[in-house]
Structures are given as C-alpha cells and as structure tokens.
C-alpha cells in the first residue's frame, strides 16, 4: 500500500483522535471560537498535512500544533487576542529549507520580542537534512519542525511577510510590510554551500530584528 493511500485512509482511522484534539482546542479557545469552527480547522489542518506527510504516525501531534497556531493567527487577525509583539511570517516554496532556517534563526535572535511563523506554497514531506544539519551545528534542534502549507489566516495575522523564492503565491493585504529576500535555495547543495546560505540568512535576520525592535520602541 502506498503512502498516499495510507494518508487517505488516515482521516477515517483517526476520527476519534481528531475529535479529542478538537475538544482540547475548543476548551482553549472557549469564548473566541465556536466548537464547530475549531473542529473545521482541525479537520482542514489534518487533511492539508496528510497530503505530504512522510510518517503518518506524527500526524495527530502536528495537526494539533498546526490547527492551534492557525486559530491563534485567526484570533489575532480578528482582534480577539493581542500578540503584544510583531508577528513575522517567512514563506518559501517547500518550507523545508530557507523559511525554516530564517524562522529558527529569528526565534533565537529575537529573544521572545517577535513571534515567528513559516510556511510553504508547496510544502515538502520533510525538512531538508542538510538544513537540519547546519542548524544543529549552531545548537538549534529542528527535529520537531515540519513543513506547513501557507494559509490565509497566518498571512492576515502577520505584521511582516518575507518571501524567498515563492513568487506571487502569497496574498497581499494592506497595512503589512512585505519583503522579498533573494536567498539561494539550499536544496541538493553541499553542506558548505548550505552553511553559506545559513550565514546569509542570519545576517538578514539580525538586520530585521534591529528594524522591528526600533519600530516597537518608537511606537
């Protein structure tokens, strides 16, 4: 049986588990979203991740994390909750290399002063092993990270959207800061090249942190 066939059967097999995830998230977002909205987000998130999941046993955990983050983003974009810090979204094609590196590096550099997300216009099934390796050299563990599809809710919740090689797949909304970083794709590159890409992204991340923290101070 193929992996695609396994994931298509997974929704039926995991119905009870998905209901439990929906119940937990309904409790967490009580007073903000109806239970029906939460359940729809859980099922949509599961289906989106199942399309590319390489190891389906991880799907329940990644579904709960992904659905929770999307609901947080939706609540923020509707003004139901306040983040208190700038929100940055990194987007590339597969969310397996550049955007994952940028998100990990910004998370460390920002020291909780910025909320960071990443997504892909056509997400891969797993992170690029070379990307995982070069960030591990810096003490950054990406073992729990996974490629996520780009969704409208996370774009709406973001103050800054940074694209890297994904063309015009990201929707444009007024009042947001958009940047396009010309960063080489690390896919199929030797470790030395991926390290250079990592360092290039880190330099850009430091500049971004400086600009966002200055804007926050001035405001």
């Amino acid at each position: 049986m193929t992996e695609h066939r396994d994931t298509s059967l997974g929704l039926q097999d995991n119905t009870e588990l998905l209901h439990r995830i929906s119940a937990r998230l309904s409790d967490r977002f009580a007073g903000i979203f109806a239970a029906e909205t939460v359940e729809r987000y859980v099922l949509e998130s599961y289906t989106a991740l199942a399309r590319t999941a390489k190891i389906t046993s991880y799907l329940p955990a990644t579904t709960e994390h992904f659905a929770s983050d999307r609901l947080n983003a939706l609540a923020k974009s509707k003004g139901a909750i306040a983040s208190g810090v700038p929100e940055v979204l990194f987007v590339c094609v597969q969310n397996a290399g550049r955007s994952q590196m940028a998100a990990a590096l910004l998370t460390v550099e920002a020291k909780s002063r910025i909320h960071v997300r990443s997504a892909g216009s056509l997400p891969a099934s797993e992170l690029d092993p070379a990307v995982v390796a070069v960030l591990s050299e810096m003490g950054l563990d990406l073992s729990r990270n996974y490629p996520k599809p780009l969704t409208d809710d996370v774009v709406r919740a973001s103050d800054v959207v940074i694209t890297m090689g994904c063309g015009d797949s990201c929707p444009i909304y007024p009042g947001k800061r958009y940047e396009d970083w010309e960063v080489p794709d690390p896919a199929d590159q030797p470790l030395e090249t991926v390290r250079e890409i990592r360092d290039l992204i880190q330099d850009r991340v430091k500049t971004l942190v400086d600009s966002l923290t200055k804007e926050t101070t001035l405001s």
Side-chain angles (χ1 to χ4, degrees), residues 25-96:
L25 293 181
S26 292
D27 288 342
R28 189 181 306 171
F29 290 94
I32 300 176
F33 297 120
E36 293 80 7
T37 299
V38 173
E39 184 170 22
R40 175 169 59 84
Y41 263 64
V42 169
L43 295 176
E44 285 178 357
S45 297
Y46 178 92
T47 302
L49 294 174
R51 291 192 186 103
T52 56
K54 188 169 185 179
I55 303 177
T56 56
S57 59
Y58 295 160
L59 270 173
T62 55
T63 294
E64 184 162 2
H65 178 272
F66 185 44
S68 177
D69 190 52
R70 290 183 62 203
L71 288 164
N72 267 309
L74 182 63
K76 194 262 183 181
S77 68
K78 290 181 176 295
I81 59 173
S83 66
V85 297
E87 306 236 356
V88 175
L89 172 66
F90 291 102
V91 185
C92 66
V93 176
Q94 295 190 318
N95 192 218

Side-chain angles (χ1 to χ4, degrees), residues 30-174:
I32 300 176
F33 297 120
E36 293 80 7
T37 299
V38 173
E39 184 170 22
R40 175 169 59 84
Y41 263 64
V42 169
L43 295 176
E44 285 178 357
S45 297
Y46 178 92
T47 302
L49 294 174
R51 291 192 186 103
T52 56
K54 188 169 185 179
I55 303 177
T56 56
S57 59
Y58 295 160
L59 270 173
T62 55
T63 294
E64 184 162 2
H65 178 272
F66 185 44
S68 177
D69 190 52
R70 290 183 62 203
L71 288 164
N72 267 309
L74 182 63
K76 194 262 183 181
S77 68
K78 290 181 176 295
I81 59 173
S83 66
V85 297
E87 306 236 356
V88 175
L89 172 66
F90 291 102
V91 185
C92 66
V93 176
Q94 295 190 318
N95 192 218
R98 288 168 289 188
S99 58
Q100 289 279 355
M101 281 198 285
L105 292 167
L106 178 56
T107 298
V108 172
E109 193 72 29
K111 299 180 176 65
S112 301
R113 294 172 295 172
I114 299 170
H115 186 257
V116 188
R117 294 184 177 91
S118 69
S121 53
L122 292 170
S125 61
E126 61 183 351
L127 268 59
D128 186 323
V131 167
V132 175
V134 300
L135 287 183
S136 177
E137 294 172 354
M138 301 177 66
L140 301 181
D141 181 11
L142 297 189
S143 61
R144 295 187 179 183
N145 291 35
Y146 56 95
K148 299 169 290 296
L150 178 65
T151 57
D152 186 72
D153 36 65
V154 297
V155 178
R156 287 183 180 274
S158 301
D159 300 300
V160 181
V161 180
I162 297 174
T163 56
M164 291 179 279
C166 57
D168 58 357
S169 60
C170 189
I172 304 296
Y173 294 110

